[in-house]
Amino acid sequence: MKGSFMNTHLGSIVIEKEVIAQYAGSVAMECFGIVGMAGYSVKDGLVRLLRMDSLTRGISVSLNNNKLTLDFHVIVSYGVSILAVSDNLISNVKYKVEEFTGIEIEKINIFVEGVRVID
């Protein structure tokens, strides 16, 4: 199954993983200290900042027993506390994605792939 499937009294609802990833990426970009999502090239071993239209490539969504697990590959601002940024990201994404989808989030993993200096 490619997404989350729910039955209601009015019918069935399917939420694709791509939709969840896009929403979670937009919520993450609102968080203080997050510069963007990171794309990792296995071939080159390089990390690059993804454009806004390809945020979902830095986010992995998996669904087990109707619970979500989200993996974020992010680039953070130089000089901010990575712990504070991570806590902020987790709390914002957990609240907003659960409200948006109606699906419980089991785990959010954050992989800091780089640091950027922001003017």
Side-chain angles (χ1 to χ4, degrees), residues 35-52 54-60 71-76 111-114 116:
V35 175
M37 296 297 127
Y40 182 76
S41 171
V42 176
K43 181 177 82 172
D44 302 330
L46 298 174
V47 174
R48 62 186 173 87
L49 184 64
L50 296 174
R51 296 188 319 245
M52 289 297 285
S54 58
L55 286 178
T56 57
R57 292 198 342 226
I59 302 170
S60 172
D71 294 337
F72 287 87
H73 296 269
V74 298
I75 296 175
V76 298
F111 302 93
V112 178
E113 302 288 352
R116 288 276 170 103

Side-chain angles (χ1 to χ4, degrees), residues 1-95:
M1 185 184 304
K2 291 179 74 177
S4 172
F5 185 84
M6 293 180 277
N7 287 317
T8 67
H9 67 284
L10 297 174
S12 300
I13 301 170
V14 177
I15 304 173
E16 295 291 326
K17 290 181 182 180
E18 183 76 16
V19 173
I20 296 170
Q22 185 69 40
Y23 185 74
S26 65
V27 170
M29 290 303 298
E30 295 173 358
C31 294
F32 174 77
I34 299 292
V35 175
M37 296 297 127
Y40 182 76
S41 171
V42 176
K43 181 177 82 172
D44 302 330
L46 298 174
V47 174
R48 62 186 173 87
L49 184 64
L50 296 174
R51 296 188 319 245
M52 289 297 285
D53 58 345
S54 58
L55 286 178
T56 57
R57 292 198 342 226
I59 302 170
S60 172
V61 177
S62 59
L63 186 68
N64 289 326
N65 299 327
N66 233 11
K67 292 185 181 179
L68 289 172
T69 299
L70 302 174
D71 294 337
F72 287 87
H73 296 269
V74 298
I75 296 175
V76 298
S77 298
Y78 176 78
V80 298
S81 167
I82 292 176
L83 180 60
V85 170
S86 298
D87 287 343
N88 185 24
L89 177 66
I90 289 169
S91 64
N92 283 343
V93 168
K94 183 171 175 40
Y95 174 74

